[in-house]
């Protein structure tokens, strides 16, 4: 059974997690490839963590 849990990461944390540049992060956000929300002036990205 696979349990899915999610975690919201800040932009800095998302950059480290994905190992990409801030410019690439913006492009992926604009293309709709990442689930995100804007809180004030900051973006937070949602990542699913799969446990097997």
């Amino acid at each position: 059974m696979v349990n899915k849990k999610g975690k919201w990461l800040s932009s800095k944390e998302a950059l480290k997690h994905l190992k990409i540049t801030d410019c690439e992060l913006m492009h992926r956000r604009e293309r709709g490839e990442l689930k995100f929300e804007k809180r004030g002036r900051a973006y937070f990205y949602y990542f699913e963590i799969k446990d097997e």
Side-chain angles (χ1 to χ4, degrees), residues 31-46:
R31 288 194 298 257
E33 295 175 12
L34 298 170
K35 183 176 176 182
F36 72 93
E37 66 180 38
K38 191 171 182 183
R39 301 180 196 163
R41 291 173 42 203
Y43 286 96
F44 288 84
Y45 300 88
Y46 186 78

Side-chain angles (χ1 to χ4, degrees), residues 2-36:
V2 178
N3 292 327
K4 290 184 182 177
K5 294 181 205 163
K7 190 171 188 181
W8 287 96
L9 301 179
S10 68
S11 293
K12 275 189 178 182
E13 292 168 330
L15 292 173
K16 286 182 187 176
H17 179 72
L18 296 170
K19 297 180 179 80
I20 59 173
T21 64
D22 53 351
C23 188
E24 178 62 24
L25 185 65
M26 178 191 70
H27 289 305
R28 288 188 186 188
R29 186 177 69 232
E30 288 176 345
R31 288 194 298 257
E33 295 175 12
L34 298 170
K35 183 176 176 182
F36 72 93

